[in-house]
Every structure is written in C-alpha cells, then in structure tokens.
C-alpha cells in the first residue's frame, strides 16, 4: 500500500479503544453521582422543628464518615437565603458520557454499517438507511418520552413507568426487525442514554439556572423547577441498570441473536428496574426483598427459556471420514470466518481479530473448536451480522464435525 494507508484500521482501533475508555470513565462518574444523590435524597433526615437548621430553610441533613473525614451534607427546601460564592454543577459527567458514547456509535457502527448494523436475514438495507434508522431512534425516543413526561400521565409514577417500559420494548421490537441484533440493542441503549442526557441538558440544568438567576436578582426561586428536575433525575436513576446491561450486551450473543431478542431485552430491563427499586426503597429505610427476588427470578426463567438445545448424539467416524469432514470445515471457515479471524484481517474495519480469536491455520481451528461451535452453531452469532453469508447447511456441517469429536483426521 502507498504511504501509511495500511495503518488506517490500526489507527481506528486505537481511537476506538481510547474513546471506549473515556466513555467508561465518564459513565462511572455520571452514574456514580446519580446513585449518590438519589441515596442522599432518600437518606437525609429533617432537622428538629425550631432548630437553627430549620430556621435556615434546611429540609434535611446527614452525617457521614468516609476516607478518614466527617461530612455533613444539607439540602435546602428550595434555596439558601444567600447564594454561595462557589457552586458546583453536576453536568459535564452527563455530557461527556453521551458525547463519547455517540462517538463510539459512529466509530464502531456508522463507519462500518454493512458489517455492524445490517443483517440481510432481517432487512436488506443500505448503509445510509441503517444509519438513518439509528439516528431517528434517538430523536423519536426523546420526543415520545418528553411528551409523556409533560402529559397528565407524567404525574402518575407507576402508570408512567409502565408506559415508558412498553414504549422501550416496542422500540426494541421495531429495531430488531430492521437492524442486526447487536446494533438494535445498542440503539435501544443509546435511545435511553439520549433521554437521560437530554433530561440534564434541557430540564435539570436550565431549571437550576433559573433558580440561581432568580436569587441573583433578589427574587425567591420558583420551587416548580426543582420539582421537575427531581422527577427527571429519578427517571435517570431507574434507567441506569438497563443501560449498563446494554453497554455490555454485545459480548453475549445468546441475548441479541435470539429469535425473540426484543423480549429477552425487555425481561432483562425489567429485572434491572426491580433491583434498582429495591435499593431506592432501602435508602428510605424500607427493605422489601420481593423486588430483587422478582428480578432474579425473571433472569433465572429467561436463562432457562433461551438455553441452547443439547446436540443429538453422533456415531463415531473412521479416520478417513474425520479427515474429509475436517477438510470441509476448513473450507467453510476459510470462506466465512478468516476474513476477520486472522493474524492480518482483510475485512474492512478490522485491524485485529475479534476477541483475539484467529482461525487461519488447522491448529488454530482445532484449538478453537468449542468457540467455533458455540458461536456459529448454537448461538449463530458469527459471522457478525452473517456478513459472509454462512448458510444453515454449512452451520450443520460445522456442528456435525464438532459433535463427532472435532477431529482433524491427522495422527499426532
């Protein structure tokens, strides 16, 4: 190749790694702050009536010890009598998480849409169509969520929560019937993440600014801004566990490659919400084990329901048959897998073999027989989005080879 063009995929791999690292760091900071402040709101206790704190307008306080020091956070019912000189704003954690997450969508999915977003067994889309669907899901998700929040339904927590959950499951259903399983899951997560960061950027921070501006003008802040911000902050808190699962879901093809992947995701999201609700209640002093028990039960039932079927027993084959069978499997792997899983991948967008699995020699095929069987036969997760068009007959050949002992037919 001319110049340094051959380093393009390698440079993109480094960019991918660094942005992903940044996304994890900022995500931890944002979610950590969310967890802390919801815990703080649920744990603070009101001061004694007539006390100095009560006269100052303090709604609650808490004493805590951490890192060798004592802390005494206080929350004012609306605002303190005087605006402090230094005021910390919790916003950049949210903005940085969304920006880095969107950058990952572009790097991993949008710049390689045919490999990462399009599954022709689902829908025969062009790259621009797939990217357009992904971007539209983020916009539509926020609009629907925001309108529901502003509607009368937004005043009824349980009914609102069930409605949003139904909307997310419906969105999962639509996306899994348009995009590859991995891309569909990631865009449901990106949709939720967009709702969360838009809550911060369009409701929480603007409301806080109005309260600060009112104090600077010598006026009493309107408590409605704090009420609205609190509602959206609680929503963000319940969104966190589903989003965290979706962030790691691309490692678990048993979920996104399932025939009913949208329902699988719905069950996992419901389990996450139930477990999160347990902790929110616990911070208030209510320990209700029925919620985590229900969440764990959902996950256990799901694990049983989507478990792969046991392979049928296969009779032992002769050495000659072993060699012939292995030769067939090698041909299939060379045609369908090695473009990505090689020391030097030829598939555009891949600088290194995914998960470090290389299959370009007979020894490597034999060494990775278990993984090949799991990924191509049991879960049908590979090839990625079936980019190389592996047929069901070819998967059956790989399965028969493995079930017969994954033999090469060579003497050792």
């Amino acid at each position: 190749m001319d110049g340094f063009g051959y380093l393009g995929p390698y440079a993109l791999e480094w960019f991918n790694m660094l942005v992903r690292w940044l996304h994890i760091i900022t995500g931890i900071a944002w979610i950590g702050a969310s967890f802390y402040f919801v815990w703080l709101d649920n744990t603070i206790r009101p001061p004694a009536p007539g006390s100095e704190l009560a006269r100052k307008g303090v709604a609650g306080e808490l004493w805590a010890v951490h890192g060798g020091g004592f802390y005494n956070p206080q929350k004012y019912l609306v605002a303190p009598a005087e605006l402090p000189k230094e005021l910390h704003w919790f916003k950049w954690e949210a903005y940085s998480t969304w920006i880095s997450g969107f950058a990952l969508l572009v790097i991993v999915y949008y710049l390689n849409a045919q490999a990462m977003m399009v599954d022709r067994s689902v829908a025969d889309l062009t790259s621009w169509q797939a990217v357009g669907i992904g971007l539209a899901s983020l916009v539509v998700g926020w609009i629907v969520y925001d309108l529901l929040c502003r509607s009368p339904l937004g005043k009824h927590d349980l009914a609102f929560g069930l409605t949003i959950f139904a909307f997310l499951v419906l969105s999962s259903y639509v996306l899994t019937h348009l995009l590859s399983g991995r891309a569909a899951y990631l865009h449901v997560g990106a949709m939720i993440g967009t709702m969360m960061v838009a809550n911060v950027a369009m409701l929480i921070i603007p409301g806080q600014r109005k309260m600060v501006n009112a104090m600077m003008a010598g006026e009493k802040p309107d408590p409605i801004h704090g009420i609205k911000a609190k509602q959206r902050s609680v929503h963000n808190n319940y969104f966190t566990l589903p989003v965290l699962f979706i962030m790691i879901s691309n490692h678990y093809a048993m979920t996104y490659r399932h025939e009913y992947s949208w329902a699988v995701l719905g069950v996992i999201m419901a389990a996450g919400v139930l477990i999160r609700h347990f902790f929110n209640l616990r911070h208030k002093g209510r320990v209700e084990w029925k919620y985590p028990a229900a969440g764990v039960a959902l996950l256990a039932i799901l694990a049983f329901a989507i478990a792969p079927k046991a392979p049928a027993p296969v009779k032992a084959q002769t050495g000659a048959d072993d060699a012939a069978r292995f030769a067939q499997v090698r041909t299939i792997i060379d045609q369908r897998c090695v473009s990505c899983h090689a020391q030097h991948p030829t598939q555009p967008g891949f600088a290194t073999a995914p998960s470090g699995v290389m299959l370009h020699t007979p020894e490597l095929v034999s060494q990775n027989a278990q993984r090949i069987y799991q990924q191509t036969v049991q879960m049908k997760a590979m090839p990625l989005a079936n980019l190389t068009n592996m047929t069901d007959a070819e998967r059956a050949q790989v399965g028969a080879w493995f079930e017969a002992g994954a033999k090469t037919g060579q003497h050792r």
Side-chain angles (χ1 to χ4, degrees), residues 333 359 365 368-377 398 401:
I333 290 174
L359 305 173
V365 171
N368 289 284
Q370 178 75 39
R371 298 184 72 166
I372 294 169
Y373 177 70
Q374 289 176 339
Q375 295 295 317
T376 63
V377 180
V398 173
W401 165 71

Side-chain angles (χ1 to χ4, degrees), residues 24 32 55 76 98 180 239:
I24 292 172
R55 291 193 297 270
Y76 286 80
W98 189 89
S180 69
F239 283 145

Side-chain angles (χ1 to χ4, degrees), residues 165-390:
F165 176 74
F167 170 69
L168 291 174
V169 173
L170 175 62
S171 300
S172 303
Y173 177 85
V174 173
L175 288 172
T176 54
H177 284 75
L178 293 173
L179 304 176
S180 69
R182 286 177 58 151
Y185 269 36
L186 263 293
H187 278 84
V188 173
M191 182 192 304
I192 299 173
T194 300
M195 295 175 186
M196 294 171 70
V197 76
N199 278 340
V200 175
M202 303 182 73
L203 266 296
I204 296 174
I205 295 299
Q208 291 173 347
R209 289 194 184 280
K210 289 177 183 178
M211 297 177 73
V212 169
N213 291 339
M215 292 187 67
M216 293 178 66
E219 302 171 356
K220 185 177 180 179
D222 189 343
I224 189 63
H225 300 304
I227 294 172
K228 289 181 178 180
K230 176 63 177 175
Q231 178 198 41
R232 300 299 180 103
S233 181
V234 170
H235 291 175
N236 282 2
N237 180 262
Y238 280 100
F239 283 145
T240 51
L241 294 192
V243 167
L244 285 174
F245 165 73
I246 293 172
M247 285 175 66
I248 65 171
S249 65
N250 62 345
H251 295 287
Y252 304 101
M254 61 187 178
T255 59
Y256 65 77
R257 287 289 298 181
H258 193 270
E259 180 183 2
Y260 299 104
S261 57
W262 58 274
V264 171
L265 181 57
V267 171
I268 294 174
M269 289 194 297
V273 169
L274 288 169
I275 292 169
R276 186 67 233 161
H277 188 57
F278 164 77
F279 284 102
N280 288 343
L281 291 178
R282 186 172 180 273
H283 300 330
K284 295 180 179 180
R286 294 170 53 190
V287 179
E288 300 197 21
W289 290 104
K290 61 184 179 183
Y291 292 108
V296 171
L298 282 176
L299 294 176
I301 294 169
L302 177 65
F304 177 79
I306 67 174
K309 297 179 181 179
V314 177
K315 294 181 180 181
Q317 304 293 317
T318 65
D321 288 337
D322 290 339
R325 193 188 303 275
F326 183 68
Q328 292 175 335
V329 169
R330 276 295 315 280
T331 300
I332 293 170
I333 290 174
D334 286 344
Q335 292 177 345
R336 311 303 187 192
C337 308
V338 172
S339 60
C340 294
H341 291 281
Q343 189 172 6
H344 302 290
T346 57
Q347 177 64 41
F350 291 86
T352 58
S355 301
V357 177
M358 292 181 284
L359 305 173
H360 56 281
T361 68
E363 292 76 17
L364 288 171
V365 171
S366 179
Q367 177 183 326
N368 289 284
Q370 178 75 39
R371 298 184 72 166
I372 294 169
Y373 177 70
Q374 289 176 339
Q375 295 295 317
T376 63
V377 180
Q378 288 186 306
M379 295 184 290
K380 296 185 178 180
M382 291 292 166
L384 187 64
N386 204 17
L387 185 64
T388 55
N389 301 311
M390 179 180 279

Side-chain angles (χ1 to χ4, degrees), residues 63-71:
W63 281 93
V65 61
H66 180 74
F70 290 88
Y71 297 81

